[in-house]
Amino acid sequence: MRIKLPNPIPDKLRPRPRRPGDGNGNGRLTPTQATIEASKDAGISVVDWLDERTSLSGAGRWALFRKVPKGTNWFYTLGSATLFAFLSQAVTGVFLAMYYRPDATSGAYESIRHINDEVFLGEFVHGMHKWGSTVMVVLVFLHMARTFFFGAYKYPRELNWVIGVTLLILTLMMAFTGYLLPFDQRSYWASVVAVNINGTGPFIGPYLSDFLRAGPEFGATTLSRFYSIHMLLLPGAIAALIGAHLYLVTKLGTTAPPWSKAEKRSELRETEA
Amino acid sequence: MPNRRRAAKSPYTADRNIPGAFEGETVTRRRFMTGSVQVFGGIAAAAIGLPTLGFALGPVFEREKSHWEDVGAAADFPDNTYIPKVVTTTPGVGEVGKTTVYVRRHNLQIDGPVRDSFDQYVAISNRCAHVGCPVRYFEASQRFICPCHGGVYDFRGARVGGPPVRPLDRFYTRVLNGRLQVGPRFSVNSELRRFSPRDPGEPLDGIGQYLYPRRFSTPELHR
């Protein structure tokens, strides 16, 4: 027995096709009705106008209406989740930049205190950015683990794996440079330690530390350097590489999970026929 | 017998039946344009890229000026314990540019003979040689102990336990008109031989001094 589900839209609200007797009696529409009809089509005509000049709908169909392998499951949403985490970081970061001052003497600490204590919803937006960074790092690793254990890094997707690893490194660099910005005791000393760990790389390490600090010691320009890397350099690089990552995913498609079996031979013959 | 070898291509475009070829022309205009676009594009990219790269990398090669800071009357420092003093290592950043220095007079029994004029007083940096946390001197045990990862140093600042890779850094000291001054920082290996200042976590014994070379940004080493 089939269960009949109730209609999601009540009957009264369903649009009805126009009948010959409608309108002002002679089959034509009254001006009011004509305006309503035209406004109903307005959205379609705007999309048509754009599509005629850009052919974007083809690209949209190419990107969104893809064949997906049998057995696709929730693990396949980890990439989109990471993308959402990045977008959330980007949006909250832009708005935090409206209040933040990268001034080492006291401005940075004071502006973060101002955001947390005085700005309306400031603590919430700062918290979203702060905890969102942890969420993003965790999601990147989960997404990477899914790709690894499902064997999705194999031919022809090796380049996408390489781009993904680059994105992982850039994400960790974001977390590293962002940690200094509140400029409190914790972030200051954690960054001192992190830069010194950087310096333990043989040969290049000491010079890398000098580059990050803009000199032999943590100084006034270290903070603005970290700020610039955090909010200009890395987000641009990450956005560009996410574009390349998504293009390759769309072009190559996703892999079937490793436990899904190949189709039976007879079925294969049928489809070939 | 027909000659099977193809005749060598003429270097002149006119001989190769390329439309619009000039007399004596050897490079086609298409090829010339491709080449010049690449050259000028490269020049334009370098004109933007090289100065900005140099701008960002500049501090790596900029040598710091050494400065000396007064920490008190030279006679006030004993030779059997340390007096903590606060000096500014990075001017212009307020509190974070300051660091603690543990100062005492040279002790012939512990430190051996005085090596030079900078060795009359010992000024030990409180920056741990592991990853740079601030260490504290404990009078009872006569040891420097780091709160972060448990690095322990003896009275001379040499490592006796924990993860640090070399002794605590020191500062040059000098006496001027009876006042003690603290100058630039330097690092020491386990035999307390002087090296230009290294960052924490970089060993100086054996191969260490070559794996972590001197940086361009540090002040000149006084011998």
Side-chain angles (χ1 to χ4, degrees):
Chain A
M1 191 189 125
R2 291 181 82 130
I3 301 162
K4 198 160 187 291
L5 291 171
N7 245 328
I9 305 170
D11 276 346
K12 277 186 181 171
L13 293 178
R14 281 175 176 275
R16 292 184 184 287
R18 196 150 53 81
R19 295 182 190 286
D22 288 355
N24 55 5
N26 56 10
R28 290 217 207 109
L29 296 175
T30 59
T32 324
Q33 282 172 325
T35 316
I36 291 169
E37 287 297 313
S39 63
K40 276 181 188 166
D41 291 340
I44 296 169
S45 42
V46 166
V47 170
D48 278 349
W49 190 93
L50 278 174
D51 193 39
E52 210 174 318
R53 283 153 185 83
T54 58
S55 303
L56 270 178
S57 70
R61 269 197 299 279
W62 177 79
L64 295 174
F65 296 92
R66 284 176 285 134
K67 288 223 165 63
V68 169
K70 209 183 264 178
T72 295
N73 53 51
W74 280 99
F75 287 112
Y76 288 75
T77 58
L78 285 167
S80 314
T82 314
L83 175 66
F84 179 78
F86 173 71
L87 292 177
S88 159
Q89 291 302 92
V91 170
T92 50
V94 163
F95 288 106
L96 284 172
M98 291 180 176
Y99 292 94
Y100 180 71
R101 271 179 297 143
D103 168 21
T105 44
S106 67
Y109 179 80
E110 193 50 40
S111 65
I112 292 288
R113 195 202 55 74
H114 176 63
I115 289 172
N116 283 342
D117 296 353
E118 284 153 20
V119 178
F120 177 63
L121 286 181
E123 197 174 11
F124 181 67
V125 173
H126 182 202
M128 277 170 76
H129 197 74
K130 178 181 171 178
W131 297 108
S133 77
T134 309
V135 169
M136 185 172 167
V137 171
V138 169
L139 283 173
V140 165
F141 274 109
L142 288 177
H143 177 51
M144 191 182 202
R146 201 284 298 171
T147 310
F148 180 76
F149 287 118
F150 282 25
Y153 55 86
K154 293 176 186 172
Y155 175 86
R157 299 183 179 81
E158 301 99 321
L159 182 60
N160 226 12
W161 174 264
V162 171
I163 294 174
V165 170
T166 316
L167 279 167
L168 165 72
I169 294 166
L170 291 177
T171 306
L172 294 179
M173 284 165 71
M174 279 297 253
F176 167 61
T177 50
Y179 206 96
L180 179 67
L181 302 187
F183 223 61
D184 51 20
Q185 286 289 333
R186 180 205 293 262
S187 72
Y188 178 81
W189 287 106
S191 300
V192 166
V193 167
V195 168
N196 286 331
I197 291 171
N198 258 303
T200 56
F203 304 117
I204 194 87
Y207 307 109
L208 188 64
S209 299
D210 272 8
F211 168 73
L212 284 171
R213 281 181 307 227
E217 301 286 342
F218 261 69
T221 43
T222 310
L223 180 64
S224 42
R225 181 166 286 238
F226 271 52
Y227 185 52
S228 157
I229 293 173
H230 183 77
M231 73 166 290
L232 297 170
L233 199 63
L234 292 179
I238 288 180
L241 283 177
I242 283 178
H245 203 66
L246 287 179
Y247 168 76
L248 283 179
V249 165
T250 313
K251 185 175 164 55
L252 302 170
T254 51
T255 46
W259 55 76
S260 72
K261 294 186 180 70
E263 284 189 350
K264 279 179 191 156
R265 192 165 279 275
S266 60
E267 287 171 7
L268 203 67
R269 231 183 277 125
E270 272 176 26
T271 46
E272 275 173 355
Chain B
M1 192 175 152
N3 188 2
R4 290 189 176 223
R5 285 174 59 197
R6 275 168 72 184
K9 252 188 181 172
S10 165
Y12 294 104
T13 52
D15 295 345
R16 283 186 269 151
N17 294 328
I18 290 168
F22 282 110
E23 182 68 38
E25 188 186 56
T26 52
V27 178
T28 60
R29 270 159 280 173
R30 180 184 296 245
R31 225 178 128 192
F32 177 75
M33 287 307 286
T34 311
S36 42
V37 162
Q38 280 167 351
V39 166
F40 285 114
I43 290 171
I48 301 165
L50 292 180
T52 45
L53 199 67
F55 181 69
L57 290 178
V60 176
F61 301 98
E62 206 169 319
R63 190 175 293 284
E64 283 262 303
K65 280 205 186 77
S66 61
H67 80 274
W68 295 81
E69 197 170 325
D70 192 295
V71 290
D76 291 351
F77 295 95
D79 68 351
N80 57 356
T81 188
Y82 285 96
I83 309 257
K85 291 284 175 190
V86 175
V87 295
T88 303
T89 47
T90 316
V93 288
E95 288 296 312
V96 295
K98 291 177 182 171
T99 188
T100 305
V101 182
Y102 287 99
V103 192
R104 66 171 164 90
R105 194 147 42 82
H106 186 99
N107 188 323
L108 289 171
Q109 268 114 54
I110 295 166
D111 301 312
V114 177
R115 276 179 290 181
D116 54 20
S117 63
F118 301 117
D119 205 22
Q120 293 167 340
Y121 286 82
V122 175
I124 290 194
S125 161
N126 79 331
R127 194 202 264 219
C128 183
H130 175 220
V131 281
C133 292
V135 300
R136 217 185 119 197
Y137 179 67
F138 288 87
E139 181 63 51
S141 58
Q142 296 207 321
R143 271 162 167 48
F144 294 91
I145 294 170
C146 179
C148 291
H149 312 105
V152 182
Y153 307 83
D154 68 7
F155 187 69
R156 297 179 308 151
R159 175 193 168 271
V160 288
V165 292
R166 60 164 201 262
L168 288 170
D169 289 350
R170 295 178 170 209
F171 287 85
Y172 288 106
T173 52
R174 71 180 181 197
V175 180
L176 225 64
N177 303 329
R179 306 289 295 176
L180 184 66
Q181 291 189 328
V182 168
R185 183 169 64 90
F186 63 92
S187 294
V188 288
N189 68 1
S190 59
E191 287 140 20
L192 299 184
R193 195 160 78 82
R194 283 178 193 155
F195 286 87
S196 77
R198 301 299 204 274
D199 277 333
E202 300 171 2
L204 279 173
D205 292 311
I207 198 176
Q209 57 175 304
Y210 305 109
L211 285 180
Y212 304 104
R214 207 172 69 84
R215 289 169 292 153
F216 307 110
S217 58
T218 55
E220 202 62 59
L221 179 64
H222 297 263
R223 285 267 175 209

